[in-house]
Short mmCIF file of all heavy atoms in Angstrom, two decimals:
data_model
loop_
_atom_site.label_atom_id
_atom_site.label_comp_id
_atom_site.label_asym_id
_atom_site.label_seq_id
_atom_site.Cartn_x
_atom_site.Cartn_y
_atom_site.Cartn_z
N GLU M 224 -58.63 -48.62 58.78
CA GLU M 224 -57.57 -48.11 59.65
C GLU M 224 -56.55 -49.33 59.78
O GLU M 224 -55.38 -49.11 59.74
CB GLU M 224 -58.08 -47.69 61.00
CG GLU M 224 -56.95 -47.37 62.01
CD GLU M 224 -57.51 -46.85 63.36
OE1 GLU M 224 -58.73 -46.55 63.34
OE2 GLU M 224 -56.75 -46.85 64.20
N GLU M 225 -57.08 -50.48 59.95
CA GLU M 225 -56.16 -51.68 60.22
C GLU M 225 -56.98 -52.95 59.83
O GLU M 225 -58.16 -53.05 59.99
CB GLU M 225 -55.73 -51.65 61.65
CG GLU M 225 -54.66 -52.85 61.98
CD GLU M 225 -54.35 -52.92 63.39
OE1 GLU M 225 -54.91 -52.04 64.19
OE2 GLU M 225 -53.73 -53.84 63.87
N ILE M 226 -56.18 -53.95 59.47
CA ILE M 226 -56.83 -55.25 59.13
C ILE M 226 -56.05 -56.31 59.99
O ILE M 226 -54.89 -56.35 59.99
CB ILE M 226 -56.65 -55.60 57.69
CG1 ILE M 226 -57.35 -54.53 56.78
CG2 ILE M 226 -57.31 -57.02 57.43
CD1 ILE M 226 -57.21 -54.74 55.32
N LYS M 227 -56.82 -57.12 60.72
CA LYS M 227 -56.28 -58.03 61.65
C LYS M 227 -56.80 -59.47 61.25
O LYS M 227 -58.03 -59.66 61.25
CB LYS M 227 -56.62 -57.69 63.09
CG LYS M 227 -56.03 -58.75 64.14
CD LYS M 227 -56.50 -58.37 65.48
CE LYS M 227 -55.97 -59.29 66.63
NZ LYS M 227 -56.42 -59.05 67.92
N TYR M 228 -55.91 -60.32 61.10
CA TYR M 228 -56.30 -61.76 60.93
C TYR M 228 -55.08 -62.57 61.33
O TYR M 228 -53.88 -62.03 61.50
CB TYR M 228 -56.71 -62.06 59.49
CG TYR M 228 -55.67 -62.01 58.48
CD1 TYR M 228 -55.20 -63.09 57.67
CD2 TYR M 228 -55.06 -60.68 58.11
CE1 TYR M 228 -54.32 -62.94 56.73
CE2 TYR M 228 -54.22 -60.60 57.13
CZ TYR M 228 -53.73 -61.67 56.45
OH TYR M 228 -52.83 -61.57 55.44
N ASN M 229 -55.23 -63.97 61.54
CA ASN M 229 -54.26 -64.67 62.18
C ASN M 229 -53.69 -65.86 61.14
O ASN M 229 -53.39 -66.91 61.52
CB ASN M 229 -54.79 -65.48 63.38
CG ASN M 229 -55.14 -64.42 64.44
OD1 ASN M 229 -54.37 -63.99 65.23
ND2 ASN M 229 -56.51 -64.23 64.50
N LYS M 230 -53.69 -65.39 59.83
CA LYS M 230 -53.23 -66.36 58.90
C LYS M 230 -51.68 -66.79 59.07
O LYS M 230 -51.45 -67.95 58.80
CB LYS M 230 -53.36 -65.84 57.45
CG LYS M 230 -53.19 -66.96 56.37
CD LYS M 230 -53.54 -66.34 55.06
CE LYS M 230 -53.45 -67.32 53.98
NZ LYS M 230 -52.05 -67.92 53.78
N ASP M 231 -50.92 -65.94 59.46
CA ASP M 231 -49.53 -66.27 59.68
C ASP M 231 -49.33 -67.37 60.80
O ASP M 231 -48.60 -68.33 60.57
CB ASP M 231 -48.69 -65.10 60.22
CG ASP M 231 -48.50 -64.04 59.07
OD1 ASP M 231 -48.73 -64.39 57.95
OD2 ASP M 231 -48.17 -62.83 59.28
N ILE M 232 -50.18 -67.24 61.82
CA ILE M 232 -50.17 -68.27 62.88
C ILE M 232 -50.61 -69.57 62.23
O ILE M 232 -49.93 -70.63 62.55
CB ILE M 232 -50.89 -67.80 64.11
CG1 ILE M 232 -50.38 -66.51 64.71
CG2 ILE M 232 -51.00 -68.87 65.07
CD1 ILE M 232 -51.24 -65.93 65.77
N ILE M 233 -51.75 -69.54 61.56
CA ILE M 233 -52.33 -70.76 61.00
C ILE M 233 -51.38 -71.44 60.04
O ILE M 233 -51.19 -72.70 60.06
CB ILE M 233 -53.55 -70.47 60.33
CG1 ILE M 233 -54.68 -69.93 61.36
CG2 ILE M 233 -54.25 -71.68 59.67
CD1 ILE M 233 -54.99 -70.83 62.42
N ASP M 234 -50.76 -70.60 59.18
CA ASP M 234 -49.74 -71.18 58.33
C ASP M 234 -48.62 -71.91 58.99
O ASP M 234 -48.25 -73.05 58.49
CB ASP M 234 -49.16 -70.01 57.39
CG ASP M 234 -50.14 -69.55 56.37
OD1 ASP M 234 -51.17 -70.30 56.17
OD2 ASP M 234 -49.97 -68.49 55.77
N LYS M 235 -48.10 -71.33 60.11
CA LYS M 235 -46.92 -71.96 60.79
C LYS M 235 -47.48 -73.32 61.49
O LYS M 235 -46.81 -74.27 61.46
CB LYS M 235 -46.47 -70.95 61.83
CG LYS M 235 -45.70 -69.79 61.23
CD LYS M 235 -45.20 -68.92 62.27
CE LYS M 235 -44.46 -67.62 61.70
NZ LYS M 235 -44.11 -66.65 62.76
N LEU M 236 -48.70 -73.20 61.90
CA LEU M 236 -49.32 -74.30 62.55
C LEU M 236 -49.51 -75.50 61.55
O LEU M 236 -49.24 -76.68 61.81
CB LEU M 236 -50.57 -74.00 63.28
CG LEU M 236 -51.22 -75.11 64.18
CD1 LEU M 236 -50.25 -75.32 65.34
CD2 LEU M 236 -52.48 -74.48 64.69
N VAL M 237 -50.06 -75.11 60.31
CA VAL M 237 -50.27 -76.10 59.32
C VAL M 237 -48.94 -76.71 58.82
O VAL M 237 -48.84 -77.93 58.67
CB VAL M 237 -50.98 -75.51 58.13
CG1 VAL M 237 -51.00 -76.42 56.94
CG2 VAL M 237 -52.46 -75.17 58.55
N LEU M 238 -47.92 -75.83 58.67
CA LEU M 238 -46.53 -76.31 58.28
C LEU M 238 -45.99 -77.26 59.35
O LEU M 238 -45.45 -78.32 58.99
CB LEU M 238 -45.62 -75.14 58.16
CG LEU M 238 -44.19 -75.45 57.63
CD1 LEU M 238 -44.20 -76.09 56.17
CD2 LEU M 238 -43.34 -74.18 57.54
N PHE M 239 -46.07 -76.95 60.59
CA PHE M 239 -45.69 -77.81 61.62
C PHE M 239 -46.38 -79.21 61.64
O PHE M 239 -45.82 -80.30 61.77
CB PHE M 239 -45.98 -77.21 63.01
CG PHE M 239 -45.60 -78.00 64.24
CD1 PHE M 239 -44.34 -78.35 64.55
CD2 PHE M 239 -46.70 -78.53 64.95
CE1 PHE M 239 -44.08 -79.20 65.66
CE2 PHE M 239 -46.36 -79.38 66.12
CZ PHE M 239 -45.12 -79.74 66.39
N ALA M 240 -47.70 -79.06 61.34
CA ALA M 240 -48.56 -80.36 61.26
C ALA M 240 -48.04 -81.22 60.10
O ALA M 240 -47.96 -82.43 60.26
CB ALA M 240 -50.03 -80.04 61.18
N ASN M 241 -47.75 -80.53 58.99
CA ASN M 241 -47.26 -81.26 57.76
C ASN M 241 -45.92 -81.96 58.00
O ASN M 241 -45.74 -83.18 57.64
CB ASN M 241 -47.07 -80.34 56.64
CG ASN M 241 -48.46 -79.87 56.09
OD1 ASN M 241 -49.45 -80.52 56.30
ND2 ASN M 241 -48.46 -78.79 55.45
N TYR M 242 -45.04 -81.33 58.81
CA TYR M 242 -43.77 -81.96 59.19
C TYR M 242 -44.07 -83.20 60.06
O TYR M 242 -43.40 -84.15 59.89
CB TYR M 242 -42.90 -80.89 59.92
CG TYR M 242 -42.17 -79.96 58.99
CD1 TYR M 242 -42.08 -78.66 59.28
CD2 TYR M 242 -41.50 -80.35 57.88
CE1 TYR M 242 -41.48 -77.66 58.35
CE2 TYR M 242 -40.87 -79.48 57.05
CZ TYR M 242 -40.88 -78.18 57.28
OH TYR M 242 -40.23 -77.40 56.42
N ILE M 243 -44.87 -83.05 61.05
CA ILE M 243 -45.16 -84.09 61.96
C ILE M 243 -45.76 -85.28 61.19
O ILE M 243 -45.48 -86.38 61.40
CB ILE M 243 -46.22 -83.67 63.08
CG1 ILE M 243 -45.59 -82.65 63.94
CG2 ILE M 243 -46.71 -84.87 63.93
CD1 ILE M 243 -44.37 -83.24 64.81
N ARG M 244 -46.80 -84.93 60.21
CA ARG M 244 -47.38 -86.02 59.43
C ARG M 244 -46.27 -86.78 58.55
O ARG M 244 -46.33 -87.95 58.58
CB ARG M 244 -48.31 -85.30 58.54
CG ARG M 244 -49.63 -86.15 58.41
CD ARG M 244 -50.67 -85.31 57.51
NE ARG M 244 -51.32 -84.29 58.31
CZ ARG M 244 -51.40 -83.03 58.02
NH1 ARG M 244 -50.87 -82.65 56.93
NH2 ARG M 244 -52.00 -82.12 58.75
#
Side-chain angles (χ1 to χ4, degrees):
E224 181 177 342
E225 183 185 356
I226 302 173
K227 181 182 177 183
Y228 66 116
N229 297 280
K230 190 172 183 300
D231 290 344
I232 297 173
I233 299 298
D234 286 344
K235 290 177 182 177
L236 192 59
V237 170
L238 183 63
F239 173 72
N241 289 337
Y242 281 133
I243 294 295
R244 219 174 283 126

